[in-house]
């Protein structure tokens, strides 16, 4: 298995969207995009949660790469997406965090339907090897399936959505400790008090050392809390000069990118792919080999930590 995985090279990718999951309580059905390599079987799955305002059409630099390298990638469009245009006074807005988390659970529960509606993946999924990933708010959303808990603003109960079907994750610019929120952010996002101590699944965290958030009273180190405050096994890639877009992962030539850097995106592509291969296939050397190659590369603009 190790040698066959290591030999996986880029494949042509096929995508289908939208695949529709009926969601009556949500007010609008859940639309997802499915991307997969045209060849290969027993494919691992990545469920990706987008950042605020984005949609299933975003994050091509990551999702295309993952699919080309042997993963089936499923991207839901959350209710905060600009493509849905919720009114500022829409009664669902205070519960957007809840709908986001439920969207990821709906994808997991709806794999049979997704597979039936996307014939190019029918019979090709390895459901014992499912990962979750997300950027920014999507990083917080994805983290809940990995074991991160947080308070429910409605009743102060603990929201625990850890799912045993999720075996590993990649969190990109996931928000840090709620104790360091600005006064405005604390009022606006009362759910944003993550407890990372319960995130036990193997996870790669990716942060930028120039990512200065208006949500936090701290500097760019706030984004590494998910690594510092969680138990092993974890890995952290800090992109030197990286801002919130981490070099351009939200999409090709999109306005959100403030720090366009193809070399940065390439490093994140390679590291995230290798991490998930090794996390989902114990004994697979992709992670160790990729880290060794990148840390001896003088052009790498970042640092890698593990625990």
């Amino acid at each position: 298995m190790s040698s066959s995985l290591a030999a996986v090279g880029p494949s042509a990718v096929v995508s289908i969207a939208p695949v529709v999951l009926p969601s009556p309580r949500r007010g609008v059905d859940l639309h997802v995009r499915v991307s997969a390599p045209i060849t290969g079987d027993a494919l691992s799955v990545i469920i990706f949660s987008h950042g605020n305002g984005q949609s299933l059409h975003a994050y091509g630099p990551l999702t295309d790469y993952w699919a080309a390298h042997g993963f089936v990638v499923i991207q839901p469009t959350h209710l905060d997406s600009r493509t849905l245009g919720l009114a500022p006074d829409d009664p669902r807005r205070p519960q957007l965090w809840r709908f986001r988390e439920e969207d990821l659970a709906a994808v997991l529960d709806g794999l049979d339907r997704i597979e039936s509606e996307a014939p190019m993946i029918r019979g090709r999924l390895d459901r014992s090897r499912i990962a979750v990933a997300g950027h920014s708010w999507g990083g917080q959303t994805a983290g809940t399936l990995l074991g991160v808990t947080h308070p429910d603003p409605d009743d102060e109960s603990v929201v625990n959505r850890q799912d045993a079907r999720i075996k590993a994750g990649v969190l990109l610019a996931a928000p840090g400790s709620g104790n360091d929120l600005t006064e405005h952010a604390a009022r606006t996002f009362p759910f944003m008090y993550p407890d990372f101590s319960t995130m036990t699944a193997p996870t790669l965290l990716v942060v930028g050392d120039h990512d200065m958030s208006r949500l936090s009273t701290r500097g760019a180190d706030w984004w590494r809390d998910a690594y510092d405050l969680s138990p092993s096994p974890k890995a952290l890639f800090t992109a030197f000069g990286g801002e919130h877009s981490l070099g351009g992962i939200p999409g090709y030539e999109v306005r959100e990118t403030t720090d366009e850097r193809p070399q940065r995106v390439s490093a994140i592509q390679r590291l995230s792919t290798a991490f998930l291969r090794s996390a989902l296939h114990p004994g697979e050397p992709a992670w160790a080999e990729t880290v060794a190659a990148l840390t001896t590369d003088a052009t790498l603009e970042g640092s890698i930590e593990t625990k």
Side-chain angles (χ1 to χ4, degrees):
M1 178 175 294
S2 172
S3 60
S4 63
L5 282 173
V8 171
S11 168
V13 172
V14 60
S15 297
I16 183 171
V19 173
V20 180
L21 298 179
S23 309
R25 199 184 75 81
R26 197 171 176 267
V28 59
D29 287 338
L30 179 61
H31 287 198
V32 307
R33 180 184 186 90
V34 181
S35 302
I38 62 171
T39 60
D41 294 306
L43 301 173
S44 300
V45 178
I46 302 173
I47 301 172
F48 186 86
S49 179
H50 64 70
N52 183 41
Q54 289 281 11
S55 72
L56 58 77
H57 300 291
Y59 295 94
L62 286 180
T63 60
D64 292 348
Y65 188 92
W66 289 335
H69 288 79
F71 293 90
V72 171
V73 184
I74 304 175
Q75 299 172 256
T77 290
H78 298 302
L79 283 177
D80 56 89
S81 174
R82 290 188 294 268
T83 65
L84 297 179
L86 261 65
D89 61 349
D90 190 293
R92 290 170 290 182
R93 281 196 170 275
Q95 299 294 322
L96 285 178
W97 64 269
R98 193 187 307 277
F99 286 113
R100 277 179 150 267
E101 295 170 8
E102 291 175 352
D103 288 347
L104 299 190
V107 170
L108 278 168
D109 294 338
L111 285 176
D112 284 344
R113 183 183 179 94
I114 292 171
E115 198 168 341
S116 69
E117 297 292 326
M120 77 283 195
I121 64 168
R122 197 169 299 156
R124 300 175 65 203
L125 303 184
D126 182 347
R127 299 197 190 187
S128 69
R129 293 184 169 94
I130 304 177
V132 68
H135 174 240
S136 192
W137 194 0
Q140 171 144 359
T141 306
T144 62
L145 270 65
L146 294 164
V148 179
T149 62
H150 66 84
D152 185 327
D154 292 344
D155 59 14
E156 294 302 314
S157 64
V158 175
V159 178
N160 182 350
R161 296 189 184 275
Q162 186 171 21
D163 196 305
R165 292 172 289 184
I166 299 297
K167 306 303 183 185
V170 175
L171 304 184
L172 305 119
S177 171
N179 295 329
D180 300 301
L181 292 174
T182 64
E183 184 177 344
H184 174 74
R187 289 197 309 270
T188 308
F189 307 109
F191 59 88
M192 200 175 284
Y193 287 82
D195 181 355
F196 298 112
S197 69
T198 51
M199 184 171 67
T200 55
T203 306
L204 169 66
L205 295 308
V206 180
V207 302
D209 70 355
H210 280 50
D211 189 356
M212 307 299 291
S213 176
R214 289 177 294 179
L215 297 176
S216 172
T217 58
R218 282 166 53 196
D221 66 310
W222 183 62
W223 300 99
R224 61 173 288 151
D225 281 356
Y227 176 80
D228 291 331
L229 302 178
S230 64
S232 62
K234 299 293 183 293
L236 173 71
F237 176 60
T238 301
F240 297 160
E243 298 177 10
H244 200 56
S245 295
L246 297 169
I249 65 168
Y252 303 107
E253 302 178 1
V254 299
R255 66 185 183 183
E256 280 87 350
T257 297
T258 57
D259 63 330
E260 187 172 4
R261 189 71 173 166
Q263 299 92 322
R264 190 172 299 142
V265 175
S266 176
I268 295 169
Q269 290 171 330
R270 293 173 62 188
L271 285 167
S272 59
T273 300
F275 182 87
L276 291 179
R277 280 190 188 162
S278 292
L280 296 174
H281 297 267
E284 156 63 33
W287 172 248
E289 292 173 353
T290 302
V291 170
L294 287 176
T295 52
T296 57
D297 184 344
T299 65
L300 178 66
E301 301 172 351
S303 64
I304 301 168
E305 301 173 46
T306 59
K307 65 178 183 181

